[in-house]
Structures are given as structure tokens and as C-alpha cells.
Amino acid sequence: MIETIQTVEKQFRTIDAMVNTQSYGMQLKDPSFIEELSIVVEEAYVCLNDGMCEEIKVCHTCSYQRNYLRNIMALLSEIEGGGSISSTVKRELFTFPEKISEVLVRIEQALKELKG
């Protein structure tokens, strides 16, 4: 289980490195950045989902985060497809870095608990 969580943590750290920057807002206008972010988010989603499938017990927080990533994937896909960025989508994408930071804190707590 520790290895699974560490793998998920690595994926979320990759997202964090992309979105917790001063230039994140400007990068959201760059199609290549959106494409790269979309790929990284999808990889994190798959990793988190696979980890949840490996474990019989799935916490509510992990399930929520998986669903949140799925929603972000849909938004990024819409943008990649040439969709306009509504104020709702902008708000969601601008809160994304904070959500990723919250997930990383929870992952760190889970790893500490498991390592005892």
C-alpha cells in the first residue's frame, strides 16, 4: 500500500510542479501547456484509480479526489477541443493548484500514518 501511495504522490507532485507557479494563469492560454497538463492529470487519475482498485478499503477523500480529477480532465479536454473558457471553468482552473496542494498534504499524512 505504501508503494501505491508513493506512486500517486509522485503523480500529484508532477501536477503541482506545473500548476503552482507564478506563470500558471498565463500558461492556461497556451494550447501546448493545456495538452501537457491534460496528459499529466489523466496519468494521475489512472494511477489514483488503479491504486483504489488494488485496495479493498477506499477512503471518501480518495474517491472525491479521483472524481475531482475526472472533472478537471473534462474541462481540459473541452479547452483542447477549442471550447471557450467560461468564468466557471476559469474559477475551477484557478483553484486547481490549491486543491493539488491539499491532496499532497493528505498523501503525506497517509504515508506518515502507514510508516508509523
Side-chain angles (χ1 to χ4, degrees), residues 43-103:
E43 289 171 352
Y45 173 84
V46 168
C47 186
L48 182 59
N49 194 52
D50 289 349
M52 289 171 62
C53 290
E54 286 177 18
E55 300 301 324
I56 302 297
K57 180 182 170 193
V58 176
C59 74
H60 175 72
T61 303
C62 292
S63 178
Y64 171 80
Q65 294 306 332
R66 180 196 55 193
N67 295 340
Y68 177 74
L69 284 179
R70 186 175 47 230
N71 291 337
I72 292 295
M73 285 170 29
L75 293 177
L76 292 172
S77 179
E78 184 179 317
I79 294 168
E80 281 182 296
S84 63
I85 303 177
S86 69
S87 59
T88 304
V89 170
K90 282 181 186 175
R91 187 171 39 255
E92 194 66 37
L93 291 175
F94 279 102
T95 61
F96 187 48
E98 182 181 327
K99 299 278 189 188
I100 294 300
S101 294
E102 290 171 8
V103 171

